[in-house]
Amino acid sequence: MEPLPGRRFIDGCVVFNGSKSVFYSGQVLEGKLNFELTSPLHIFAIDAVYLGAANVEWTEVQVETYNRVRRNKQLKYIGREEYFKYTQRLSQGPTVLEAGSHSIPLSYQIPFNCPSSFEGEKGQVKYSVTVYIIHHDGVTTDKIEAPFDVIDPMNLNTGSPDIKNPLVMEFDQMVGCQLFCVSKPLAVSVRLPAQGVCPGQSVPVAVAVRNSASVEITKILFQITTRERFRSQQPQSEYEPPEEVLAALRRGPVLGGASAEYVFPLDVPAFLAPNMEHCTLIDIGYFFKVKIKLSGCNEDMEDEAEICIGLVPLGETDLKNHPMPEKLPIGPLPDPNNQPPYTPSNTRTFTPSQSYQHDVQICPPGPIPYPVVANVADAPIFGSKNSPAGPFEIGFRAPDVSVNPTLPHPVPGYPYPGLPQGQAPPYSGLPQGQAPPYSSLPQGQGSYPTSQPSAPPPY
C-alpha cells in the first residue's frame, strides 16, 4: 500500500503463514498484518473481517408486448449465500502505533461446511480477509484486503459406498448391413472399475463387443465432461451453460462379426475439482459419456452416467500422489471427527507504544460460538453436487421449499448492482442489530464487535 497523505502507511499487506493463500475447509488460517509507519499514528482499533460467500448473477432479455408494440426488457437474476462473516478485533482499545515496522498476527478457523473456491461463467465462490485500521476519530479507515482460496476435500474412501462400485453401461441393438437383410444383435459392454476417480489417474475402460452382424463399429468415443448450473434467488431461476469436455478418447474400428474384449486407458486431466456439496447456488457435475458409431444407415448408440471426481483416491489415505501438490494447502487434511481444540500458534503480544496502557495483540486463544450459520442444506435434501447418480446424485434441481422452507433465501443488505428500470430491488435494508459499515460510525462510538478467534462447534 502506497503512502497516503496524512496516514503515513507504507507496504501494508496480509501475509499468510507458509506463503500459500490456499486452505482446506476446517483448516486454521494463520497470517500476519505487516506494514510500516513513517510517523506515529493514533488509532481507534484494528479489525480483521473474514468473509466467504457465493454470488450468482446473469441478465436475460425478456420480450414484452404493449398495444401490439414489442420491446425488449433486461431482467437481472441474482443470488448470494454467505458461509461466514466474522470480525476479529486485533487491538485492545485506542492506542498509538509508533513509527517503524509492525507485524500483527491473525488467525481464523475456516468452517468445515465451506464449498471450494470457484470462478464460473455466471457465479463464483470467493473468500477473503480484510483488515481495517480505524483511526482515532472512529470513522477514517485504511483497508488492506487479501483473497485466499479454499479447497473442500472430497475423500472417495469416506463417501457413499456406491462410489467404490463399478460403473457398467450396456448397449444392445438389432442391426443389419442393408435395408432388407435380416437384423442381428450387436452388444457392447463398457465398464469402469469404480464410479469415483481422481485427477491425474489413468482409468482402465474395459470394452466387450459381441457382434453377430456384419456391421462395423467405425468408432467408439469416450468422454469425461463437466456441467455447471447456477441458481438465482431473485427472481428464482436456473442457468446452465454448455457442457465442457475434460478428456476424450477415440478407439476403433471393430470389424463386423467380431467378438472381442479391449482395455483402453482414459487419462483424467490434472486439475483441482471443486466440491460444491455445501453450496445451494452452484452445482458442478462430472459425467462419463460413451458414443458408438456404426457403419451404414444404422443409428449410433450413446449413453452417459454420472461419476464422482474427488481429491483423495480410492485405497489411499493421503495426497502424496496428487498430480498438483504445489496447488494444495500446507498440512494434513482436517478431520471433522477428530479435530483438536483450536489454539493459535502465535499469541505473542504486540506492543505499539509505552505511553498507552492498551496493547495491540491477537485475541486470547479458545473457541467461541460459531459466529455465522452458513446458508446450506443437509445433503439428503439436494444430494451431493459432484457425485454419481443414486443416493449421491448431482441433483440439478431447484431446492424443495416444501422440505426446507428456509431455502433458498437471500442475504439481506447485500449491495447488489443497480437494477434495470422497472425491476424492483431484490433486498434492502440491514438486518436488525447489524452494525453499519465502518465509514458510517459516528466519531467515538466504538461499537465494533470484539471477540476471540473463531472455531466451528465440535462434530
Side-chain angles (χ1 to χ4, degrees):
M1 182 169 59
E2 296 297 329
L4 300 176
R7 301 188 185 178
R8 303 172 292 280
F9 280 97
I10 302 176
D11 297 332
C13 63
V14 174
V15 178
F16 300 106
N17 290 1
S19 70
K20 274 193 175 183
S21 58
V22 57
F23 305 90
Y24 294 117
S25 298
Q27 195 173 27
V28 176
L29 176 156
E30 292 186 321
K32 295 178 181 179
L33 168 65
N34 296 332
F35 60 92
E36 293 186 9
L37 290 176
T38 59
S39 60
L41 176 67
H42 292 258
I43 66 166
F44 173 77
I46 301 178
D47 286 350
V49 179
Y50 305 88
L51 176 63
N55 294 283
V56 296
E57 178 181 331
W58 71 89
T59 302
E60 295 181 4
V61 177
Q62 183 179 17
V63 179
E64 298 179 343
T65 304
Y66 296 96
N67 297 327
R68 300 182 180 180
V69 177
R70 294 165 58 90
R71 68 174 185 179
N72 295 335
K73 178 182 178 181
Q74 287 190 338
L75 186 62
K76 184 174 292 186
Y77 296 85
I78 47 182
R80 178 175 172 87
E81 180 176 77
E82 287 186 357
Y83 307 107
F84 58 84
K85 185 177 183 180
Y86 179 68
T87 301
Q88 180 186 58
R89 178 58 55 86
L90 301 180
S91 64
Q92 292 184 351
T95 188
V96 172
L97 301 178
E98 294 180 342
S101 299
H102 299 270
S103 182
I104 304 176
L106 51 86
S107 64
Y108 176 73
Q109 183 171 10
I110 302 170
F112 280 93
N113 57 345
C114 289
S116 300
S117 299
F118 174 73
E119 186 74 32
E121 181 179 345
K122 303 297 181 182
Q124 59 279 139
V125 178
K126 293 185 177 182
Y127 299 90
S128 66
V129 53
T130 304
V131 178
Y132 295 88
I133 301 177
I134 309 165
H135 291 237
H136 67 284
D137 59 4
V139 176
T140 307
T141 63
D142 288 297
K143 183 175 72 172
I144 302 172
E145 184 176 5
F148 61 90
D149 293 324
V150 170
I151 295 177
D152 187 11
M154 173 173 286
N155 190 336
L156 298 180
N157 300 279
T158 59
S160 170
D162 293 338
I163 295 178
K164 305 175 184 179
N165 295 336
L167 172 62
V168 180
M169 303 171 68
E170 301 285 353
F171 301 87
D172 296 286
Q173 186 170 317
M174 299 297 294
V175 296
C177 58
Q178 296 178 0
L179 181 63
F180 299 105
C181 69
V182 178
S183 297
K184 295 183 179 181
L186 169 63
V188 180
S189 175
V190 179
R191 183 181 187 274
L192 297 182
Q195 299 181 48
V197 299
C198 281
Q201 285 186 327
S202 182
V203 181
V205 182
V207 180
V209 179
R210 301 291 182 268
N211 188 0
S212 300
S214 57
V215 174
E216 179 183 279
I217 298 177
T218 60
K219 180 173 60 177
I220 303 178
L221 175 63
F222 308 98
Q223 289 182 333
I224 295 179
T225 64
T226 180
R227 298 175 192 165
E228 300 172 1
R229 173 162 288 185
F230 303 93
R231 294 191 179 97
S232 65
Q233 297 164 324
Q234 182 67 25
Q236 292 190 17
S237 184
E238 295 182 351
Y239 176 87
E240 184 177 341
E243 70 177 4
E244 177 185 355
V245 178
L246 300 179
L249 178 67
R250 292 176 174 84
R251 288 293 182 268
V254 179
L255 299 178
S259 295
E261 296 183 356
Y262 310 90
V263 177
F264 305 123
L266 177 61
D267 295 331
V268 183
F271 72 110
L272 295 178
N275 181 6
M276 310 304 289
E277 184 174 356
H278 294 119
C279 179
T280 65
L281 301 182
I282 303 174
D283 290 336
I284 301 178
Y286 302 96
F287 300 85
F288 176 67
K289 304 179 69 173
V290 179
K291 186 172 185 178
I292 303 173
K293 298 186 70 67
L294 305 178
S295 63
C297 302
N298 299 285
E299 294 184 356
D300 299 336
M301 299 184 292
E302 57 183 308
D303 197 6
E304 68 175 27
E306 194 168 7
I307 60 175
C308 179
I309 297 184
L311 189 68
V312 182
L314 291 171
E316 299 185 15
T317 58
D318 52 36
L319 297 171
K320 62 182 180 180
N321 296 321
H322 194 277
M324 304 173 66
E326 71 283 356
K327 300 292 185 180
L328 297 178
I330 299 174
L333 293 171
D335 184 0
N337 301 316
N338 186 25
Q339 184 69 16
Y342 167 51
T343 302
S345 60
N346 190 349
T347 58
R348 71 174 183 85
T349 299
F350 172 77
T351 306
S353 174
Q354 298 299 326
S355 62
Y356 278 77
Q357 298 298 321
H358 303 285
D359 294 333
V360 180
Q361 61 180 12
I362 195 167
C363 301
I368 66 170
Y370 185 30
V372 178
V373 178
N375 301 329
V376 298
D378 295 332
I381 297 179
F382 304 101
S384 173
K385 300 299 188 298
N386 58 349
S387 306
F392 42 92
E393 63 184 337
I394 187 173
F396 269 10
R397 46 200 162 97
D400 189 351
V401 181
S402 63
V403 176
N404 191 341
T406 64
L407 292 172
H409 61 276
V411 176
Y414 171 61
Y416 288 99
L419 298 177
Q421 184 177 2
Q423 182 175 337
Y427 322 113
S428 60
L430 296 174
Q432 184 176 0
Q434 178 173 325
Y438 291 109
S439 59
S440 62
L441 285 176
Q443 181 174 355
Q445 179 172 327
S447 61
Y448 305 106
T450 60
S451 54
Q452 301 172 359
S454 165
Y459 282 72

